[in-house]
């Protein structure tokens, strides 16, 4: 069976108006742009979407706007990350009712959670909805690290967890997920600089904000690997690597992607305080990186 | 000038009713108990108070209830930790209007914050209130680590930051704060197993949830050090250390303190999901520790 | 120009007699076995060869025996790791005179070294010999971590450093070496569980002790990648991964490889104290892993 | 029973002549100086003594020279750290025969050692000598970390391990050693910036290279604590802290202590390559720190 989610799964940002409201028009425009560019799925309200910084009503508005705008052109997976189980359940139900194809669930810590607490959190969400769950591990932002054996156990014991997203950037985690399930758990890579090797190791998809800025290079990497063209994949990966490293290393994804969209002509506003817009110096570097990649002969020829 | 906050600064838990509402009666009882026991200040809505897991209206209710219940018998410092600057400002203003003597501000990360972002976060809160701020560093829960030189800079440049709470448990951080300010920045220790040495190194106070369970031992440690009784302080510290280690090492403070209060006869309800109540096995260990400490001859003689 | 060292670069163990002398006969047998199996180069006196545990005269004897036994059938790179620059220079000169094609230099720390000290250490060795140096980074054993920009600087500024071996297991280090040199620095992978992705990312060779036990699977991985057969490479990699993980994760390489050779019929003695032989329990696991891999249908068909 | 080793246990450096031989005259002078200053014991061939960088014959010469020069004026504990059990045993026996009162044993790793291997290493040394062993934990230089429960087990099960030196700088390790033995295991602190709190927590002694440079301040700290003068101890600790931090933070102890001795008029030569002498810039900082501390009014008055 072909998984519903595969290939390039793109995160939109959450644009804000000048008075810090949700800018629905800019959100729609960013989604339309990435679908037109050919991405295989849309993932609103992820880390890039500043979901952690939204009020509940803003979150609901963003989820509904994004799902409606996609309009079934590609599948939609909505990010769910809330400190309390109660509100995570509420958001998951909201996303399902609004038409999401799946939810991507990241447990969040203030106090560290033990495995029983994490399991119960996932189970409560799973029981409240009927759409699939993509289990999401990202200790750098969430403060919680779920190791592959525990992930494999949850996939086995909780019915609608059917996908795993790994964002540690550690390729050995993917090896372990593969071996623990004889290659049967579809896993997705959430670490941009690992995009090439994760696909090689068997990842089903790449969850990334990069298609906001360089969708063609992202898609070409996936195509080259699908076609078994190892030298071509290596070339297109190393070409885009400086940008992939830049967007995760300089102030975080929201400020960087918003700055990059502005360079492309779409004003998505500022990230929400305490996050600050990308510095002028970094905007200049990003602008230069984007210009270089647009002029790449490989990409031009493709 | 004697600092307003010194000695044993106690965190109350936030008790919940069986339907997950705020149990104001239990909150009041826990505060009265600790004031009767002799603690020097009360710090509601800290980590122990599960403030990260409360809705805004629950937070406001808890702040107001706690401040009113203390009723100026001892000073009150209210914990402020919110991902957005906007809501941190709102809470700080609410605490001031409700009568807090100070606020204790912990910046929180989803995306890591750089120093400019942290500075602006504190400055925005500081400008919105006129009561003092206790800057609070606790990377283990907040995901943000502020090093002593940066802390000293903020204390110097932002007027109403007048106190620093350090919870890394690294005594060298306190040494650095001391040296960077010639002993002029009042610093407070938030790591229970470091209580003894932090006071020895010059800490003005100890912010702790332990007085919910063993207030006399906590206060005796402070008294012995004030009296220059090093052997006595060492003895009473090592006596209480197993309990201090237990409450931070087995499921986090909220479940453990709530379990300990129940052993003492005060039902503060369960922690909020995904946090789970202390396991039966750990309740038994805690009960035994508390019984042993109550029978301690040193304490009995005091 | 084709690099002299490429593909599968195999580490022999250093066999000991029952009275802890060098067992030259067993060393020769292990080298002959791996050359007969088809490995592309031999690297005596690496970590697997317990070089850190040898006296100077034992080290010299092992170097000379190994180089002579290879007898130019494949290239030889000799491991040099000594705390003092003086003795590292002495060993490098000895290896050159004994006929080594290259030396692989790992700086070792008791006191941490700064970059000036590391640079001077490499420069002193380089000036004393005329054969090429493979710079070797392995902080887990050496206590010294050389980051890619510093490595690239040394490659550029010290004439006979012409190769880099990276054993951190972090694929991003290889990406950086590639980008820093436009793909011009030949880099070698020293982390067994990273073998597949390192080759995919452009590694010239894989330095490994695994060919002592499963040479055909190691060579097949390299062949499949050279042939652009991504599914085949993935299959043969995942097949051998449990053994690759086992040999680095259970008591270190020397005890494990010596135990595996004994299973294959070659008695190489015990590792030197304080290292202990592999436990009986682990010998049983290893034996089972080796039997399973020998019966692998893919390998049988190849 | 009063432990033989207590108070200030001073490390001499190992001075080298200009042609890299042992400079016995300078070694003797440095020992005489510290004994005259009043230190309570001498510990040659520790980390500061560059023992890891000496040949066996140099090591033997240094041990014998140091022990003879002390001449029973104070107790001597000789550092033993060798990768192989065989040579560690040889050195321990040599030290005993040369008249050492105890040996301080640090296991060293190239390959990580498991607890069985570490235990066997200590047991082999213990069985070969009849003088006491100070077990020494210092993962930063040795690569091996022994946790308090394992240390307590070795103290209990291996007869002549009677003292523990802890150099992690983590005060909680000392708390655990204290609690695990009801205060019965004498523990010694090897982390200079922890000197004050370690004594407060119950340490029997402080193993340090600082008495080469500021013996009076080191001794005053110990005296103040013995006298129960907490404010005095705090003052003299904070006074010397900048120097204590400097000597461990800028190029390691051997270069820094040798530079400081030269400032005092004793030329101990250069550290052995790859270690480099302290940079001119750091020599200036050190010189200034030493001058400031000599002029300290507290010290002058004492």
């Amino acid at each position: 069976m072909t998984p519903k989610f595969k290939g390039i799964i793109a995160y939109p940002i959450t644009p804000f108006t000048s008075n810090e409201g949700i800018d629905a028009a800019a959100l729609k425009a960013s989604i339309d742009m990435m679908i037109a560019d050919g991405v295989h799925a849309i993932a609103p309200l992820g880390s890039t979407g500043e979901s952690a910084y939204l009020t509940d009503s803003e979150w609901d508005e963003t989820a509904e706007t994004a799902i409606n705008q996609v309009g079934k052109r590609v599948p939609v997976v909505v990010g769910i990350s809330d400190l309390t189980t109660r509100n995570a359940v509420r958001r998951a139900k909201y996303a399902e009712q609004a038409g999401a194809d799946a939810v991507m669930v990241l447990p969040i810590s203030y106090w560290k959670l033990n495995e029983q607490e994490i399991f119960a959190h996932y189970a409560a969400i799973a029981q409240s909805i009927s759409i699939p769950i993509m289990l999401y591990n990202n200790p750098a932002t969430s403060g919680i690290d779920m190791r592959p054996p525990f992930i494999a156990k949850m996939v086995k014991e909780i019915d609608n967890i059917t996908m795993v997203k790994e964002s540690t950037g550690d390729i050995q985690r993917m090896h372990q997920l593969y071996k623990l399930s004889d290659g049967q758990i579809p896993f997705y890579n959430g670490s941009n600089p690992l995009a090439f090797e994760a696909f090689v190791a068997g990842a089903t998809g790449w969850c990334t904000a990069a298609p906001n800025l360089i969708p063609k290079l992202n898609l070409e990497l996936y195509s080259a690997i699908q076609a078994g063209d190892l030298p071509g994949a290596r070339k297109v990966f190393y070409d885009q690597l400086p940008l992939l490293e830049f967007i995760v290393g300089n102030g975080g994804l929201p400020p960087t992607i918003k700055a990059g969209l502005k360079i492309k002509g779409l004003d998505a506003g500022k990230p929400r305080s305490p996050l600050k817009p990308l510095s002028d110096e970094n905007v200049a570097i990003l602008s230069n990186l984007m210009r270089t990649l647009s002029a790449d002969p490989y990409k031009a020829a493709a």
Side-chain angles (χ1 to χ4, degrees), chain A residues 9-15 26-32 34-35 39 41-51 62 65-67 70 76-79 104 208-212 253-254 257-258 261 266 268:
Chain A
I9 300 161
Y11 300 123
I13 41 73
T14 298
L27 175 58
K28 292 175 186 175
S30 98
I31 289 171
D32 283 350
M34 293 196 286
I35 293 178
V39 303
I42 294 285
L45 294 161
S47 305
T48 306
E50 296 177 67
S51 70
T62 304
T65 303
I67 292 166
V70 174
V76 174
V77 52
V78 173
M104 182 175 75
T208 175
N212 284 285
L253 283 167
I257 299 298
K258 286 186 169 178
L261 285 171
L266 178 63

Side-chain angles (χ1 to χ4, degrees), chain A residues 112-119 150:
Chain A
K112 298 297 175 221
L113 301 181
N114 61 35
E115 293 196 346
Q116 281 180 302
E117 290 169 331
I118 296 168
F119 191 101
F150 178 55

Side-chain angles (χ1 to χ4, degrees), chain A residues 36-254:
Chain A
D37 284 326
V39 303
H40 304 109
I42 294 285
L45 294 161
S47 305
T48 306
E50 296 177 67
S51 70
Y53 302 85
L54 303 182
T55 64
D56 279 341
S57 63
E58 289 171 335
W59 192 94
D60 294 353
E61 179 187 351
T62 304
E64 189 163 15
T65 303
I67 292 166
N68 287 342
Q69 187 64 20
V70 174
K72 300 291 174 190
R73 287 178 287 173
V74 296
V76 174
V77 52
V78 173
I80 306 286
S81 57
D82 195 275
L83 268 168
T84 64
T85 301
R86 185 166 64 174
N87 205 35
V89 164
R90 191 198 67 75
R91 288 184 176 185
K93 290 166 81 167
Y94 189 93
E96 179 176 23
Q97 286 167 349
D101 297 284
V103 289
M104 182 175 75
V105 176
L106 179 72
I108 294 276
S109 77
Y110 181 88
W111 291 102
K112 298 297 175 221
L113 301 181
N114 61 35
E115 293 196 346
Q116 281 180 302
E117 290 169 331
I118 296 168
F119 191 101
H121 183 72
Y122 272 105
I125 297 169
Q127 282 159 18
S128 72
I129 56 175
S130 58
I131 53 176
I133 291 176
M134 181 185 283
L135 183 152
Y136 177 16
N137 189 48
N138 192 1
T141 55
S142 73
I144 291 174
D145 192 8
M146 299 176 283
R147 313 284 307 182
F150 178 55
I151 290 176
K153 174 189 155 80
M154 284 196 282
V155 171
K156 192 176 169 194
E157 298 185 9
I158 300 177
D159 272 1
N160 42 348
I161 300 184
T162 61
M163 303 170 276
V164 174
K165 178 178 163 196
E166 241 296 334
S167 292
T168 56
D170 178 0
I171 191 74
Q172 304 304 330
R173 303 282 183 110
M174 292 178 183
H175 292 165
Q176 289 173 60
L177 288 170
Y178 188 99
K179 293 299 291 184
L180 283 164
S181 71
D182 286 315
Q184 296 306 303
I185 300 178
F187 56 89
Y188 299 77
N189 170 48
S191 168
N192 285 305
L194 195 66
F196 179 29
E197 290 86 7
F199 274 132
V200 165
T204 300
W206 174 19
C207 302
T208 175
N212 284 285
L213 309 187
I214 51 165
K216 290 196 171 43
L217 289 168
N218 306 146
L219 289 158
E220 281 168 17
L221 175 61
Y222 181 62
S223 304
I225 290 165
Q226 294 294 101
D229 174 13
L230 203 49
R234 187 185 295 151
K235 163 104 181 59
V236 76
F237 171 67
Y238 277 117
D239 283 347
Q240 69 193 278
L241 180 60
L243 189 134
L244 298 181
E245 290 175 336
F246 184 86
I247 61 176
V248 296
N250 294 278
L253 283 167

